[in-house]
Amino acid sequence: MHPRERPTTRRQFLIRAGVTVGALSGADALLSACGGSAKSAPTTTAGGGVLMGPGGIPLARRDHPVTLPIYGDNGPIDSGLNLEAGPLKLYNWDAYINPATVKAFEREFNVKVSVTTFENEEEAIAHLTSGKANFDVWWATVDYMSRAVAGKLIQPLNHSYLPNLKKNVWPALQNPYYDQHSRYSVPYAVYTTGIAWRTDKIAKAPPEYANPYDIFWDSHQYAGKVAILDDQREALGMTLLRRHLYDINTEDPTLINRAEKDLSQLTKTANVKVNVNDYTDLPSGKTYISQAWSGDIAGAPYYLPKGVKPTVLGYWSPAKHAETQNDMITILRGAKQPVLAHTFLNFMLDNKNGIDNFSWNGYIPPLSVIEPDKLVAQGYIPKNLASTIVRESDFNRGVTIDALTTKGQALWQDAWSNFKAG
């Protein structure tokens, strides 16, 4: 199960709680708790149109990579330190790491590991800045990286403890655009957002359309059996991609308003469902067509009724300009086991450990050793769902949901609220 599927995602939390964009969010509380504030670190635009975020850190974009600063009072640990005795405390999304992989780390290093989970980033940030948290490792997302660095919530990494980063990871994610030189993070999993469907229930599959996204707007005959993801950036972003608009981080009011209108058509056309149940509703037949995450559909065969073959499931994402994302692992500034934490990050970047973890959660680690054909041949992925496998070339050609300015967040949130209100 992917973190963005939780019953209350970060963006849903803001909307359902009635929080205005100008109100104190968890991220702003993070800055305040760490000695800054939303007022002292406003979002601005620097020369050349570069968007600025908290602490004067530019907002990262694929065409504008960002090297995150290292502060004098928050440097990396020294090299050559001895491994602590543990326990190692992990703070992760619910159901996002293989328990067997955690046990393997415990056995190899003769330590205990505890896993505490959270349901959304707002919950995580609030807990981490409460003064009561006591964790070593935290799973983060791209849109929180610069805020966590500006708030000095996470510590820089010492790469002498992370040989597997250079040895095993895709080159593109050894030096990611959102954290150049991997100063604060290592990658955990990659995925695409696309379209999933029941091959036995629909007459015309997405790839048969000149524009596969059109299937949603041509689905009147499947009314009540069509779904989009309950995530404003994902759903509205899909309408932009349908129109060949590849800046899915746009803050242009005209484009965002049109995306809202396009999405609203689906309510009239297909009585569209809005949820994050793609991995269960397609197998059960509750939906026939769904916007979906690749990792969910890779694992969807496990939810099929007994006797139903995986060939009833299909998945498509575009060869170019697919929405591709990755999540990452960081070490918290207050980690009491920093060497052990580095060792754990390196452990997760080991080829065998990464693949074992993938076999449980369905989300592919960006390891160069992974060969799509072998994943299919070895039974990790059914042949008909090989399209859920994310290659480095897919990631490099993709588009990514990135952080927005406060103004941009308001535009997207308003459009989403209007759509959901009908």
Side-chain angles (χ1 to χ4, degrees):
M1 188 184 296
H2 189 262
R4 291 179 73 147
E5 299 166 17
R6 307 309 167 206
T8 305
T9 68
R10 177 177 63 82
R11 298 182 182 94
Q12 293 165 1
F13 177 90
L14 291 172
I15 294 169
R16 293 176 188 174
V19 179
T20 62
V21 174
L24 185 67
S25 69
D28 293 330
L30 179 160
L31 295 176
S32 179
C34 296
S37 70
K39 290 184 179 179
S40 64
T43 300
T44 60
T45 301
V50 176
L51 299 175
M52 302 299 290
I57 300 175
L59 296 182
R61 296 290 186 264
R62 283 178 177 253
D63 60 354
H64 191 275
V66 169
T67 299
L68 298 169
I70 294 177
Y71 302 101
D73 60 347
N74 184 31
I77 62 172
D78 292 335
S79 300
L81 299 177
N82 292 326
L83 202 65
E84 301 93 1
L88 181 69
K89 297 183 178 181
L90 310 180
Y91 197 38
N92 193 5
W93 304 90
D94 184 32
Y96 201 39
I97 188 170
N98 188 348
T101 303
V102 175
K103 289 293 184 184
F105 181 82
E106 290 181 320
R107 288 193 301 270
E108 182 169 340
F109 296 98
N110 193 31
V111 295
K112 292 294 183 181
V113 177
S114 66
V115 181
T116 302
T117 63
F118 53 87
E119 294 291 330
N120 57 71
E121 285 281 25
E122 287 296 320
E123 175 192 332
I125 294 296
H127 190 43
L128 290 173
T129 57
S130 67
K132 300 177 182 179
N134 180 24
F135 304 114
D136 301 296
V137 176
W138 172 46
W139 273 252
T141 54
V142 170
D143 48 355
Y144 267 84
M145 278 298 297
S146 61
R147 298 183 185 195
V149 170
K152 300 178 184 177
L153 180 64
I154 56 180
Q155 64 177 263
L157 303 176
N158 182 328
H159 285 214
S160 70
Y161 297 101
L162 303 170
N164 285 337
L165 178 62
K166 186 175 181 180
K167 179 182 176 183
N168 296 335
V169 173
W170 294 347
L173 288 177
Q174 292 179 27
N175 188 36
Y177 72 94
Y178 55 82
D179 181 16
Q180 289 279 276
H181 315 296
S182 295
R183 282 184 161 184
Y184 286 90
S185 65
V186 299
Y188 179 67
V190 293
Y191 61 97
T192 61
T193 305
I195 305 170
W197 69 95
R198 284 289 298 255
T199 63
D200 58 336
K201 300 294 186 181
I202 66 173
K204 186 177 180 180
E208 297 177 67
Y209 285 79
N211 183 340
Y213 292 113
D214 284 344
I215 192 171
F216 288 100
W217 285 265
D218 185 36
S219 58
H220 57 280
Q221 67 269 47
Y222 309 118
K225 297 285 189 177
V226 180
I228 58 173
L229 293 170
D230 193 1
D231 184 300
Q232 65 183 29
R233 298 291 300 278
E234 295 278 15
L236 291 166
M238 179 182 69
T239 71
L240 296 174
L241 295 175
R242 178 183 176 234
R243 290 182 175 273
H244 306 290
L245 300 171
Y246 304 118
D247 180 7
I248 58 173
N249 303 299
T250 183
E251 300 191 5
D252 184 330
T254 301
L255 297 181
I256 296 169
N257 289 338
R258 186 167 66 184
E260 175 200 328
K261 292 177 181 178
D262 286 349
L263 210 56
S264 295
Q265 291 176 5
L266 297 183
T267 301
K268 300 174 183 178
T269 300
N271 188 23
V272 68
K273 296 179 179 180
V274 183
N275 59 41
V276 288
N277 302 328
D278 51 342
Y279 64 103
T280 56
D281 283 0
L282 278 164
S284 69
K286 289 183 179 180
T287 56
Y288 297 167
I289 304 166
S290 181
Q291 186 185 22
W293 288 299
S294 59
D296 278 3
I297 304 308
Y302 296 100
Y303 296 91
L304 286 167
K306 186 176 180 179
V308 179
K309 296 182 179 181
T311 51
V312 301
L313 300 174
Y315 179 79
W316 170 90
S317 65
K320 189 177 182 181
H321 299 124
E323 186 199 310
T324 56
Q325 302 283 143
N326 78 281
D327 300 321
M328 66 284 303
I329 321 178
T330 67
I331 299 177
L332 290 162
R333 185 186 185 188
K336 290 181 170 56
Q337 315 286 326
V339 181
L340 193 59
H342 278 80
T343 303
F344 175 79
L345 267 59
N346 193 59
F347 180 87
M348 294 305 300
L349 297 177
D350 174 79
N351 290 329
K352 182 182 182 303
N353 299 329
I355 292 173
D356 286 347
N357 190 49
F358 153 71
S359 71
W360 185 82
N361 74 8
Y363 281 81
I364 294 178
L367 300 174
S368 298
V369 72
I370 292 179
E371 298 180 20
D373 291 344
K374 287 188 177 181
L375 289 181
V376 173
Q378 295 172 359
Y380 288 102
I381 301 288
K383 184 176 181 180
N384 59 296
L385 295 179
S387 53
T388 63
I389 300 171
V390 185
R391 300 162 176 80
E392 184 176 11
S393 58
D394 298 327
F395 187 85
N396 292 340
R397 291 194 299 262
V399 297
T400 308
I401 291 175
D402 292 314
L404 301 171
T405 67
T406 301
K407 177 182 177 182
Q409 292 172 25
L411 290 169
W412 283 77
Q413 181 174 314
D414 288 348
W416 184 242
S417 297
N418 292 339
F419 160 69
K420 297 194 79 172

